Amino acid sequence: MATPAKEKKDFRNYDQGEIIAAVKEHYRKMRTRQTLDYVKRMKVKYLTYDKSMHIWDAMEKLNDLIDVSDPDITLPNVHHLVQSAEAMREEGRPDWMQLVGLIHDLGKVMYLWGSDDDGTSQAEQWGLVGDIFVVGAKFPETCVYPEFNRLNSDMQDERYNTDLGVYEEGCGLDNLHLAWGHDEYLYQVLKNHPDNKIPEAGMVMLRYHSFYPWHTGNSYGQFLTEKDKQYKVWVIDFNKYDLYTKREETFNPDKIKAYYQPIIEKYLGPEKINW
Ligand code: FE
Ligand code: FE
């Protein structure tokens, strides 16, 4: 049964008593431990594409994961995915976008082969979920809990703690290293998938949906190109379904599968995905 929809102001409210401690601790670890060196190591370690799994199996695996960084929901992740997709479907958004809604958090399956040390496990999720930011350049005040920015060792390193850091002005979003997590992981996995036909807009939504300091905080102007303006339009359009469709309600799995399976095949083909 559905509970009444929450008001907009009630979402991403990081000051609710019970959840504040866990969410805040998550962000303290994430901001402290996600250095440029860490992100580069994780890309080498996890982008191996040697584990084959179907989209539906990945969805099922997410049933066992509760996102510690999300103050808005305590239901398993798969509900959130279906709700995002169904909201797009109700509004008649394109089928590829509905698919993007359905799969956008599937990168969290990384926890299946993750570790506490990497922050990619059920117990330690600071390398898996949460708002992401650029590593290798100064962390902006638009990060959630900006007081944690100074805890990162890169912010004591003059190669990394300036506005440009290791990057060039106007280099474009696609050339930045972002904090490691489920966005980049799924993006790279699908980019590597031979049958992937998801349009560019969809791939951008997948890759940057957690990049709040950019898409909502309007930081990082020093890196942006003309193309990135279009990226922001796409990601903001996606964001309302990611954020404001979260309700504690259930759905019929058979009906969901019957509707989305042909869309999965249209854009990802019949084969399993290599993770
Ligand atoms: Fe996400
Ligand atoms: Fe999401």
Side-chain angles (χ1 to χ4, degrees):
M1 221 183 75
T3 51
K6 294 207 268 185
E7 301 275 323
K8 249 192 181 190
K9 64 172 172 49
D10 296 331
F11 287 97
R12 294 178 63 82
N13 176 353
Y14 291 93
D15 292 321
Q16 311 162 68
E18 327 87 70
I19 55 96
I20 189 174
V23 174
K24 199 170 177 181
E25 179 60 4
H26 168 82
Y27 277 107
R28 190 191 61 79
K29 288 178 182 168
M30 186 177 185
R31 204 71 45 74
T32 305
R33 299 178 190 177
Q34 291 250 7
T35 60
L36 178 61
D37 174 67
Y38 163 84
V39 169
K40 286 181 175 174
R41 281 190 292 111
M42 294 305 108
K43 287 179 176 176
V44 173
K45 184 169 179 179
Y46 287 95
L47 298 176
T48 51
Y49 317 116
D50 54 0
K51 295 163 288 286
S52 144
M53 188 167 49
H54 196 272
I55 289 288
W56 292 120
D57 296 323
M59 299 269 295
E60 210 144 278
K61 298 291 185 192
L62 275 204
N63 256 327
D64 302 328
L65 183 75
I66 288 183
D67 183 335
V68 293
S69 73
D70 189 343
D72 296 328
I73 200 158
T74 51
L75 277 176
N77 252 268
V78 65
H79 289 256
H80 163 58
L81 292 177
V82 172
Q83 286 169 347
S84 303
E86 289 283 274
M88 294 173 188
R89 180 183 171 187
E90 265 171 39
E91 291 186 17
R93 305 308 303 268
D95 59 355
W96 60 263
M97 190 171 172
Q98 297 172 30
L99 174 63
V100 164
L102 186 73
I103 65 175
H104 74 273
D105 281 337
L106 282 191
K108 295 177 187 176
V109 294
M110 201 191 339
Y111 90 97
L112 293 171
W113 39 86
S115 75
D116 291 354
D117 284 348
D118 293 341
T120 53
S121 66
Q122 170 82 65
E124 296 287 345
Q125 299 183 13
W126 52 268
L128 193 64
V129 301
D131 299 1
I132 54 177
F133 46 90
V134 176
V135 293
K138 188 179 179 185
F139 298 173
E141 290 299 302
T142 52
C143 288
V144 60
Y145 301 118
E147 64 270 32
F148 294 146
N149 288 356
R150 61 180 179 81
L151 302 178
N152 190 293
S153 60
D154 283 358
M155 293 306 100
Q156 265 56 260
D157 188 324
E158 58 192 23
R159 292 172 297 170
Y160 308 138
N161 65 7
T162 62
D163 282 343
L164 289 178
V166 297
Y167 308 102
E168 275 168 39
E169 186 150 15
C171 63
L173 281 194
D174 291 341
N175 292 306
L176 301 169
H177 289 285
L178 302 185
W180 179 245
H182 67 284
D183 299 52
E184 182 70 10
Y185 182 55
L186 183 64
Y187 170 79
Q188 293 294 348
V189 161
L190 293 181
K191 196 175 152 217
N192 178 65
H193 182 61
D195 293 339
N196 179 27
K197 294 183 193 68
I198 296 174
E200 185 189 9
M203 293 300 283
V204 166
M205 291 170 185
L206 292 174
R207 192 177 197 181
Y208 298 110
H209 74 269
S210 302
F211 194 15
Y212 277 85
W214 162 68
H215 68 61
T216 300
N218 296 311
S219 292
Y220 299 117
Q222 69 272 36
F223 300 128
L224 303 182
T225 61
E226 266 314 291
K227 189 175 156 188
D228 295 329
K229 286 183 188 159
Q230 177 62 63
Y231 277 23
K232 188 178 272 185
V233 172
W234 287 333
V235 174
I236 293 285
D237 183 24
F238 171 84
N239 182 251
K240 57 181 181 284
Y241 301 99
D242 192 12
L243 199 46
Y244 301 122
T245 59
K246 291 173 186 175
R247 290 162 171 238
E248 311 269 333
E249 70 189 341
T250 52
F251 53 85
N252 180 326
D254 294 331
K255 284 188 181 163
I256 293 297
K257 276 198 178 183
Y259 176 76
Y260 288 99
Q261 179 57 32
I263 305 179
I264 293 177
E265 286 194 27
K266 179 175 172 187
Y267 291 101
L268 295 174
E271 303 296 328
K272 291 182 176 179
I273 311 282
N274 285 320
W275 302 81

